[in-house]
Amino acid sequence: MRKRIILLLSLVMVCMVNSASFAVTEDALSTNNPDDAIINVRQQIVELSNCKGAHSFSDREEINLIAEKYALGDPADIDEIIYVPFNEAKGLAASDENITSSESEKGNGRRNASASTTYYVKKNGSSEERGGLIRSSTYRYPGGTMTITESVSRGWSFTESAGISVSDDIVKAKISAAYNISFSKKDTVSDSQDIKVKAYHKRNVKAYVNKRIYKGELWKKYLRKGDWVNTKCGNTKVTRGVGVIFVVGKNVKL
């Protein structure tokens, strides 16, 4: 009887270890915080800019999901996707993306209590999308090396609300301060990928910029007849390169 109990306990422990192993493997790129997840096929989540370093994706379901979100073409033609972050991909405060109106007003009010007009930015989150093509090359057996060195300018835009005019200097200064970003600097990457090709085959490799777009609103707070009034001035947008997406095509017979 005692031997039977020990055997049952051993089986239970083996099952628990196997279950834990499966969970770690399945969600190796996911975290408890959805904002930090790189990819989760079950939840259809993919944010390549969450990669802390170069990462390769070869799982068929992951390739399908990445190809769809970033418009990389027919996933059936893709053998591997490699993501490499830009060297200078920091500077925008992702943890500060959703500032509420009251927090923004309160902070600006304390700093500028005597000012007649104060401008501030409300952040409305961010998203990723595939940017321009950096390079496209076709390799034959035995393969070669794709080397890229790219610098991408940071950009901003502002769409004014009807009947409101704000100078570009004010808009640029407020966006720069709100996102902790300098528009005079560029985001850069320098990377090489070794491409292997089977005998009597060829394969195409493309490298795209991955862009992150931060949307927001510019507001002004001013005194009117002794009361503080808040008015939306328009919509803001910040765009910057955050990484490179290498799309490695399948071996095609010559």
Side-chain angles (χ1 to χ4, degrees):
M1 183 67 171
R2 185 178 178 184
K3 289 182 180 179
R4 191 174 297 173
I5 292 173
I6 292 173
L7 179 60
L8 287 171
L9 287 172
S10 300
L11 288 171
V12 169
M13 289 178 67
V14 168
C15 290
M16 288 174 67
V17 169
N18 287 339
S19 257
S21 259
F22 173 76
V24 169
T25 302
E26 187 176 21
D27 293 326
L29 299 180
S30 301
T31 67
N32 292 328
N33 183 356
D35 293 335
D36 295 332
I38 297 171
I39 190 164
N40 188 314
V41 175
R42 287 179 300 175
Q43 297 181 25
Q44 295 291 287
I45 294 173
V46 54
E47 294 290 337
L48 293 180
S49 64
N50 284 336
C51 291
K52 304 303 181 185
H55 194 92
S56 170
F57 301 88
S58 56
D59 177 80
R60 181 47 49 190
E61 289 186 331
E62 292 180 350
I63 287 176
N64 292 346
L65 182 58
I66 296 170
E68 180 181 357
K69 174 170 179 178
Y70 295 89
L72 301 178
D74 188 351
D77 297 331
I78 300 174
D79 198 44
E80 182 184 16
I81 294 173
I82 302 167
Y83 186 76
V84 179
F86 274 169
N87 301 329
E88 301 293 333
K90 296 181 180 180
L92 285 166
S95 61
D96 203 22
E97 272 181 3
N98 295 306
I99 292 180
T100 63
S101 172
S102 60
E103 288 171 338
S104 294
E105 292 161 15
K106 204 186 299 180
N108 282 285
R110 285 196 300 269
R111 289 192 297 273
N112 303 282
S114 61
S116 58
T117 301
T118 300
Y119 292 89
Y120 59 92
V121 173
K122 291 183 185 180
K123 301 177 185 177
N124 290 336
S126 64
S127 60
E128 291 183 25
E129 66 178 49
R130 193 208 76 199
L133 179 67
I134 300 172
R135 181 167 299 171
S136 176
S137 300
T138 298
Y139 299 86
R140 296 173 183 260
Y141 174 82
T145 301
M146 176 177 275
T147 300
I148 61 166
T149 299
E150 191 75 8
S151 295
V152 178
S153 299
R154 303 164 177 181
W156 65 274
S157 65
F158 176 62
T159 305
E160 293 176 334
S161 300
I164 293 181
S165 178
V166 184
S167 74
D168 286 349
D169 288 343
I170 290 177
V171 176
K172 186 176 180 179
K174 290 302 174 181
I175 294 176
S176 180
Y179 290 100
N180 185 29
I181 186 174
S182 170
F183 292 104
S184 63
K185 295 182 179 179
K186 294 184 178 182
D187 298 297
T188 62
V189 65
S190 181
D191 188 74
S192 294
Q193 294 295 329
D194 293 326
I195 311 301
K196 296 180 180 179
V197 184
K198 296 196 310 187
Y200 310 109
H201 286 72
K202 65 178 181 179
R203 75 190 325 172
N204 180 260
V205 180
K206 291 182 173 68
Y208 294 97
V209 173
N210 181 33
K211 296 192 303 181
R212 188 127 193 133
I213 299 170
Y214 298 79
K215 294 182 178 180
E217 301 170 354
L218 182 71
W219 285 67
K220 69 176 179 179
K221 181 178 181 179
Y222 60 98
L223 276 173
R224 186 174 65 186
K225 297 180 179 179
D227 294 323
W228 285 105
V229 178
N230 294 276
T231 300
K232 179 181 174 180
C233 301
N235 296 314
T236 65
K237 184 167 73 172
V238 174
T239 304
R240 71 182 302 181
V242 291
V244 175
I245 305 171
F246 290 93
V247 182
V248 183
K250 289 190 172 182
N251 283 283
V252 178
K253 196 167 185 178
L254 293 171

